[in-house]
Amino acid sequence: PISCGSDDPMEGAVKKSANPRILTINGGSSSIKFAQFEAGDVLDRILEGEIDRIGAPEARLRVTGLDSMDTFSQPVTAPDHTVAVGILMDWIEARGGPDGLTAVGHRVVHGGPSYWQPQRITAELLAELHRISPLDPAHLPGEILLAEAFHRRLPDLPQVACFDTAFHHDMPRVAQQLPIPRRYEAQGVRRYGFHGLSYAFLMEEMARVAGTQAAQDRVILAHLGNGASLAAVREGKSVDTSMGFTPVAGVPMSTRSGDLDPGLMAYLASSEKMNAQQFNEMVNTKSGLLGMSETSSDMRDLLERETQDVRAAEAVALFCYQIRKWIGAFAAALGGLDTLVFAGGIGENAPLVRARICAELGFLGIELDPLRNAKNAALISPDDGRVSVRVIHTDEALMIARSVAHVLNLGPHRKHQP
């Protein structure tokens, strides 16, 4: 539990206004995505954007808003996240400053064993996130930096942390445990699961488009993007998920390896004198599609090259094969399957990848309608298919905005305009 005493220097009062404005922040390893919502009768998205390619010469600030003044793309010099967040806050202040904002919501990938519910960011919470940063060195330091940078520039602006582990917090104990000595569990070493903001949105959206009963049935969610994971859901609750103690576990991703033989680390330590930090860097930033293809971490590039480059073809094949295996495993964990949902950049926009994943899953009742799949339709299975296969555009920013509105009592946090 978190202390919310008024003596906390980060616990500023929430400004009351007729139409509160919420800024959402989603910091990645090389990008900062953001969106702004107005909480009137519904949550309206006013704008969205990102600073991408942080650390590269091609870094850009892109914004899409409701009018031309808030729609642009321009190059920026952003060698690291510290500079990038300064650029973002300069732009925020130029278009109205703190008076134009009511609160900020941050996606925080990992809260360890103590934090999972959305809550106000306090000095106590930040201290704990610093302490547990070794749980997720790829994400937590950057997310802490963003929260601290906002507090320095806008000290009276309330901030809320929205944890990506929340959706999986109540997984069955058998799905949380790791088969290692029990003493490590007391240190918080267990399977947590991630992409929870995405999964929570997908389940709410599925109930809206397919009905409440469909969301209570046996569902597999496949969030396939730069980061990729799957979740098995029954009666609206997470039963299991492919990511585990850290987000590097599970299926191969753009630059992450997914599951590996634990003995590989000892082998590389012996054969190449690789230390733990180097191994962690390899499995997080040099593996997956990039490591297999040796050319690109982007599925679009690999699909274009696969007929000429066997490395690209093998990377795509391994990605599809591993996801197919996880679908089979989760169908077993659920005792069957009623709905399969694809989401994320690859899941929503790569018909060929979806087709290859599903090609040999007919024994589970999974069948695609080729025309619907090619069009990225909302329902890509036949109307009479035993398993409904859906494509749903996920929206983590909206889930963050809803959580902020709820935590700070700013108004509606369920209704929204898409």
Side-chain angles (χ1 to χ4, degrees):
I2 191 165
S3 169
C4 292
S6 59
D7 58 339
D8 191 310
M10 300 193 72
E11 282 281 2
V14 180
K15 294 183 296 185
K16 299 297 182 182
S17 72
N19 294 299
R21 290 196 170 186
I22 299 167
L23 179 71
T24 67
I25 299 291
N26 187 339
S29 57
S30 63
S31 67
I32 301 173
K33 296 180 181 179
F34 57 91
Q36 191 173 111
F37 295 82
E38 188 170 89
D41 293 332
V42 294
L43 273 174
D44 282 318
R45 193 187 315 263
I46 300 170
L47 59 84
E48 59 187 2
E50 69 176 322
I51 300 177
D52 65 353
R53 297 181 181 270
I54 295 171
E58 306 86 2
R60 296 189 75 84
L61 168 62
R62 309 173 196 272
V63 180
T64 302
L66 298 178
D67 55 53
S68 58
M69 290 184 63
D70 275 338
T71 300
F72 64 90
S73 173
Q74 66 185 42
V76 295
T77 301
D80 54 41
H81 280 68
T82 302
V83 176
V85 72
I87 293 168
L88 175 58
M89 287 190 290
D90 287 344
W91 176 74
I92 289 170
E93 292 190 343
R95 69 181 303 275
D99 292 336
L101 288 179
T102 308
V104 179
H106 296 265
R107 173 180 175 246
V108 179
V109 171
H110 213 313
S114 301
Y115 295 96
W116 62 91
Q117 299 273 13
Q119 56 198 274
R120 289 285 293 267
I121 294 179
T122 64
E124 178 186 345
L125 172 56
L126 286 178
E128 176 64 9
L129 294 181
H130 274 292
R131 190 187 70 80
I132 67 170
S133 285
L135 294 181
D136 188 7
H139 295 95
L140 274 178
E143 291 161 352
I144 295 167
L145 181 153
L146 289 170
E148 291 177 335
F150 268 91
H151 179 64
R152 282 194 299 271
R153 283 279 285 269
L154 305 171
D156 296 326
L157 192 65
Q159 299 188 74
V160 173
C162 303
F163 296 98
D164 225 8
T165 52
F167 185 75
H168 308 292
H169 181 260
D170 294 320
M171 280 194 308
R173 180 163 167 75
V174 70
Q176 293 184 17
Q177 290 179 297
L178 289 170
I180 58 176
R182 281 184 176 269
R183 67 180 182 275
Y184 294 109
E185 188 174 11
Q187 301 174 22
V189 179
R190 63 172 176 83
R191 299 184 71 249
Y192 288 93
F194 303 92
H195 284 144
L197 291 167
S198 174
Y199 290 142
F201 175 83
L202 293 175
M203 291 306 298
E204 289 191 12
E205 189 67 2
M206 188 176 144
R208 186 181 73 83
V209 301
T212 304
Q213 182 54 50
Q216 292 296 306
D217 288 339
R218 299 164 298 183
V219 181
I220 294 176
L221 306 172
H223 177 112
L224 309 180
N226 285 331
S229 72
L230 294 89
V233 182
R234 184 171 52 222
E235 297 179 355
K237 296 181 179 179
S238 178
V239 172
D240 205 344
T241 188
S242 58
M243 287 178 170
F245 177 61
T246 72
V248 76
V251 301
M253 305 171 222
S254 60
T255 65
R256 297 181 205 154
S257 64
D259 286 351
L260 294 173
D261 181 339
L264 179 61
M265 184 174 181
Y267 170 77
L268 293 176
S270 173
S271 65
E272 297 193 7
K273 306 299 185 233
M274 183 180 287
N275 60 33
Q277 182 177 349
Q278 292 168 330
F279 183 83
N280 189 65
E281 182 181 358
M282 181 191 77
V283 298
N284 273 286
T285 67
K286 299 177 180 179
S287 299
L289 296 177
L290 177 62
M292 285 285 293
S293 70
E294 298 183 312
T295 56
S296 177
S297 63
D298 193 309
M299 179 62 76
R300 293 167 295 187
D301 295 339
L302 301 181
L303 289 172
E304 288 179 4
R305 298 170 185 167
E306 64 176 345
T307 56
Q308 295 86 30
D309 188 339
V310 67
R311 299 169 301 169
E314 289 181 343
V316 175
L318 181 62
F319 180 84
C320 296
Y321 172 68
Q322 290 291 342
I323 291 165
R324 188 185 313 129
K325 285 206 310 183
W326 277 94
I327 291 172
F330 281 170
L334 292 168
L337 181 61
D338 299 298
T339 301
L340 171 63
V341 176
F342 287 100
I346 298 172
E348 296 167 24
N349 302 300
L352 189 58
V353 173
R354 293 194 300 261
R356 292 179 184 177
I357 290 170
C358 295
E360 297 180 39
L361 294 176
F363 72 99
L364 290 176
I366 294 174
E367 179 185 355
L368 298 188
D369 180 303
L371 292 179
R372 289 178 176 178
N373 185 46
K375 295 178 180 178
N376 296 321
L379 180 70
I380 59 174
S381 55
D383 291 333
D384 60 353
R386 281 169 47 202
V387 172
S388 295
V389 185
R390 298 185 174 274
V391 176
I392 299 179
H393 173 66
T394 194
D395 196 338
E396 293 170 319
L398 178 60
M399 291 306 295
I400 296 171
R402 288 177 181 172
S403 296
V404 173
H406 176 70
V407 169
L408 301 181
N409 194 27
L410 295 178
H413 54 281
R414 292 289 178 192
K415 297 179 182 178
H416 71 283
Q417 296 292 343

